[in-house]
Amino acid sequence: MKILLPPSETKRPGGTGAPVSLGALALPALAPERDAAAAALVALAADPAAAARVHKLSERQLGDIDHNAALRSAPTMAAVDRYTGVLYDALDAASLDAGARRWLNAHVWIHSAPFGPIAALDAIPTYRLAAGTALPGIAPVRRPWARATSEAMAQEAPPFVLDLRSEAYVALGPVPASVPSAYVRVVTTEGRALNHFNKKAKGELVRALAEDRPRVRSLAALRAWSDARSITMRRGEQAGVLELVTEA
């Protein structure tokens, strides 16, 4: 199984790892798209006024331009530790043992805007780029990414994909039809969709999976594990949708 997670706008600064190696990231077939996105980000950062406009930065966010300028030379840390926010706070990967972190690395792709899907322990720098941003020279980010990302996933051919991404990141690379998958929506027992608790529930779900490290190769196997864990997951009304039920 592969789990697709969204990134987070908020990121932990710093790092002790060597600069990012685009060819060493998961799904290496995406190296050309990664290189183009990195080049566009660095070039845009050379014009701070344009960068602030394109990234829609507030005054207190202008430091993110410097992060983008140093994208290829900045220190790195594991992606699952780089991202912060509700989902990643609930996952709390730093507190997991070594076996659980290895499981995350083998089973989780975090879908970043400049790098595409990357493994949980792939080393990345901090950056600023949202899924809907149109970078000068490469148009809206989704255009060069969508087909390439779907093709790369198809080449990887995981037996089952659990898609926890937001719709904006699904647009950057839909799971190909050839790969069995389920898209997760977080709802209350009454079926009401959630916002803040949506992210928290997804983080808690991935943490539970990392702790248990089940062998999941199908939706049936996932639901058998969730039932044993007293985690309620049910088929949604739409085809391909799985509802994760939680308390608001």
Side-chain angles (χ1 to χ4, degrees):
M1 175 177 68
K2 291 289 186 182
I3 302 167
L4 277 165
L5 287 181
S8 175
E9 180 178 312
T10 57
K11 302 170 187 70
R12 190 166 285 108
T16 58
V20 64
S21 174
L22 299 180
L25 301 176
L27 298 173
L30 295 176
E33 286 73 27
R34 289 167 174 154
D35 188 66
L41 274 180
V42 172
L44 179 59
D47 184 343
R53 184 176 64 255
V54 168
H55 294 294
K56 300 178 181 178
L57 301 179
S58 66
E59 190 71 24
R60 66 180 182 84
Q61 295 171 324
L62 293 179
D64 287 345
I65 298 172
D66 294 332
H67 294 319
N68 285 352
L71 189 76
R72 294 184 185 271
S73 59
T76 59
M77 69 174 68
V80 76
D81 299 321
R82 174 70 72 189
Y83 295 110
T84 61
V86 176
L87 189 156
Y88 290 92
D89 288 348
L91 172 54
D92 192 15
S95 70
L96 291 170
D97 64 30
R101 286 176 65 86
R102 286 193 297 270
W103 189 93
L104 286 176
N105 194 53
H107 295 277
V108 170
W109 285 329
I110 301 173
H111 198 157
S112 70
F115 307 120
I118 53 178
L121 300 187
D122 277 350
I124 61 169
T126 190
Y127 66 88
R128 179 74 178 214
L129 182 63
T133 302
L135 287 174
I138 63 171
V141 173
R142 66 180 179 274
R143 290 185 184 174
W145 277 116
R147 176 179 290 183
T149 301
S150 294
E151 289 177 351
M153 289 184 200
Q155 291 172 15
E156 186 78 7
F160 176 68
V161 170
L162 187 66
D163 194 346
L164 304 183
R165 297 174 296 174
S166 60
E167 292 183 2
Y169 281 90
V170 171
L172 291 187
V175 178
S178 60
V179 176
S181 67
Y183 182 79
V184 174
R185 296 191 190 281
V186 180
V187 300
T188 64
T189 52
E190 297 80 18
R192 179 168 57 87
L194 297 172
N195 187 6
H196 172 89
F197 288 96
N198 159 50
K199 296 178 181 179
K200 184 173 184 288
K202 289 177 178 179
E204 291 173 343
L205 172 66
V206 177
R207 183 179 179 87
L209 283 161
E211 289 172 340
D212 290 1
R213 305 193 277 283
R215 183 175 175 81
V216 173
R217 298 180 63 83
S218 67
L219 177 57
L222 175 67
R223 293 188 68 186
W225 167 82
S226 68
D227 287 346
R229 253 282 192 158
S230 298
I231 296 172
T232 303
M233 305 186 84
R234 65 194 186 196
R235 290 185 182 274
E237 294 182 359
Q238 294 176 285
V241 171
L242 186 65
E243 293 181 341
L244 172 59
V245 182
T246 189
E247 296 296 327

